[in-house]
């Protein structure tokens, strides 16, 4: 069992102790080198110990967790964020493909977050955090991080032409004709891409309305995308599609 070194940055004493206790009991492979209560102390601990993982609370007084990265420019560690906010947190984390824990902490969620970090340790951390910060602050979202076999695909939102379901997997077809497969079902993306340019015309597809080249009424209704692919519009979605499509034109 290979050891992973960690630093905890969390302003609540009880929350720090709970996390330390869970790691000690269920994840002895994670060695906590320092546990501190503020961003300034976190910066010092990271610079001193050079951990592989930082457990970072987002909502803290004086400095929030994101501001830690204003002081550390060479990010050679991965991050597991912790937060008590659920209403927009899940979407932000999914857009950025970063590991997270919602409070109160749960044993199974902790295990999942650690496994996610082990798989992608140190890969594209800076870019994933930048996407997370933008999404969290409710700025206009322009990019999404997609976990693929080789690591991460950072795709501009409008560069996604359409998504196609295949069981537990989803194929992404980009406007430059590249194709990628992600090990998430299409329902994950339907929840994630609740943006006006995306529409689910059929249970197997989500399309970018800006990438629709032509709409045909015959044969029940279908669209032709920019690359020439045809995608059916289900009967019950026809009126909703026309309304969404016309609102963008």
């Amino acid at each position: 069992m290979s050891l992973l070194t960690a630093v905890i940055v969390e302003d609540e004493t009880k929350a720090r102790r709970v996390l330390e206790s869970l790691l000690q009991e269920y994840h002895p492979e994670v060695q906590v080198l320092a546990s501190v209560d503020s961003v300034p102390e976190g910066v010092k601990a990271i610079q001193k110990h050079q951990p592989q993982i930082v457990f970072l609370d987002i909502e803290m007084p004086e400095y929030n967790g994101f501001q830690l990265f204003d002081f550390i420019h060479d990010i050679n560690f991965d991050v597991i964020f912790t937060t008590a906010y659920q209403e927009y947190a899940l979407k932000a984390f999914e857009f950025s493909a970063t590991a997270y824990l919602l409070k109160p902490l749960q044993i199974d969620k902790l295990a999942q977050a650690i496994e996610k970090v082990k798989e992608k340790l140190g890969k594209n951390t800076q870019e994933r955090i930048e996407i997370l910060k933008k999404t969290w602050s409710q700025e206009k979202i322009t990019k999404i991080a997609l976990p693929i076999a080789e690591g991460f695909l950072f795709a501009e939102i409008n560069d996604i032409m359409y998504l196609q379901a295949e069981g537990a997997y989803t194929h992404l077809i980009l406007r430059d004709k590249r194709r990628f497969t992600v090990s998430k079902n299409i329902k994950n993306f339907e929840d994630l891409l609740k943006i006006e340019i995306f529409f689910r015309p059929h249970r197997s597809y989500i399309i970018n309305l800006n990438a629709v080249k032509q709409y045909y009424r015959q044969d029940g209704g279908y669209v032709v995308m920019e690359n020439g692919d045809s995608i059916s519009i289900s009967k019950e979605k026809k009126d909703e599609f026309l309304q969404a499509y016309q609102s963008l034109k």
Side-chain angles (χ1 to χ4, degrees):
M1 179 175 61
S2 58
L3 288 176
L4 291 171
T5 56
V7 164
I8 297 172
V9 184
E10 162 65 67
D11 69 302
E12 297 178 16
T13 302
K14 182 179 178 181
R16 287 199 309 277
R17 289 176 177 170
V18 168
L19 179 53
E20 290 170 19
S21 177
L22 290 174
L23 289 171
Q24 187 174 17
E25 184 172 356
Y26 296 99
H27 297 280
E29 78 276 16
V30 179
Q31 181 183 7
V32 178
L33 302 178
S35 184
V36 299
D37 64 0
S38 68
V39 165
E41 291 302 313
V43 172
K44 292 178 186 177
I46 290 167
Q47 291 174 337
K48 177 181 178 180
H49 296 288
Q50 297 294 306
Q52 292 167 286
I53 305 172
V54 173
F55 291 89
L56 180 60
D57 186 19
I58 293 179
E59 302 83 21
M60 289 185 285
E62 191 176 359
Y63 295 99
N64 67 45
F66 293 129
Q67 290 176 289
L68 180 139
F69 304 102
D70 295 336
F71 303 99
I72 298 177
H73 303 292
D74 184 16
I75 303 175
N76 55 5
F77 54 87
D78 217 310
V79 184
I80 297 177
F81 289 94
T82 62
T83 178
Y85 291 95
Q86 298 188 37
E87 61 271 20
Y88 50 81
L90 293 180
K91 186 170 184 177
F93 290 123
E94 290 298 328
F95 257 100
S96 59
T98 50
Y100 65 91
L101 293 168
L102 293 178
K103 299 177 184 178
L105 303 184
Q106 299 177 33
I107 296 169
D108 59 333
K109 300 299 183 183
L110 176 60
Q112 290 172 18
I114 291 173
E115 283 305 310
K116 186 172 186 177
V117 164
K118 285 179 180 178
E119 291 171 7
K120 310 295 184 185
L121 196 61
K123 292 183 179 178
N124 308 106
T125 305
Q126 180 73 57
E127 194 160 4
R128 284 185 281 134
I129 288 168
E130 287 303 317
I131 293 173
L132 176 60
K133 286 166 69 175
K134 286 183 179 180
T135 315
W136 192 276
S137 64
Q138 303 296 290
E139 293 181 24
K140 184 174 177 61
I141 302 163
T142 60
K143 188 178 284 189
I144 184 172
L146 301 165
I148 57 177
E150 299 79 12
F152 291 94
L153 166 67
F154 294 95
E156 296 289 338
I157 295 294
N158 199 46
D159 286 345
I160 300 172
M161 186 184 305
Y162 69 88
L163 302 91
Q164 181 181 9
E166 186 178 345
Y169 296 88
T170 301
H171 304 298
L172 286 97
I173 292 80
L174 304 188
R175 296 175 84 166
D176 63 8
K177 300 183 180 179
R178 288 183 296 162
R179 293 173 178 255
F180 296 91
T181 299
V182 178
S183 57
K184 290 186 176 184
N185 65 43
I186 201 166
K187 183 65 168 67
N188 289 103
F189 290 99
E190 183 180 28
D191 295 336
L192 190 61
L193 296 173
K194 286 191 179 300
I195 303 170
E196 62 178 4
I197 66 170
F198 288 99
F199 184 78
R200 190 171 184 179
H202 186 280
R203 61 186 178 85
S204 297
Y205 294 93
I206 296 173
I207 61 173
N208 180 345
L209 294 171
N210 286 332
V212 173
K213 185 177 180 180
Q214 186 71 48
Y215 166 67
Y216 293 92
R217 297 180 182 276
Q218 59 263 41
D219 300 325
Y222 66 94
V223 294
V224 175
M225 307 302 291
E226 288 177 347
N227 65 349
D229 290 351
S230 297
I231 296 173
S232 298
I233 308 292
S234 65
K235 187 182 299 184
E236 62 272 16
K237 288 291 189 84
K238 182 177 178 181
D239 290 342
E240 187 182 346
F241 163 76
L242 288 172
Q243 183 178 1
Y245 182 61
Q246 291 168 0
S247 69
L248 287 182
K249 301 303 174 183

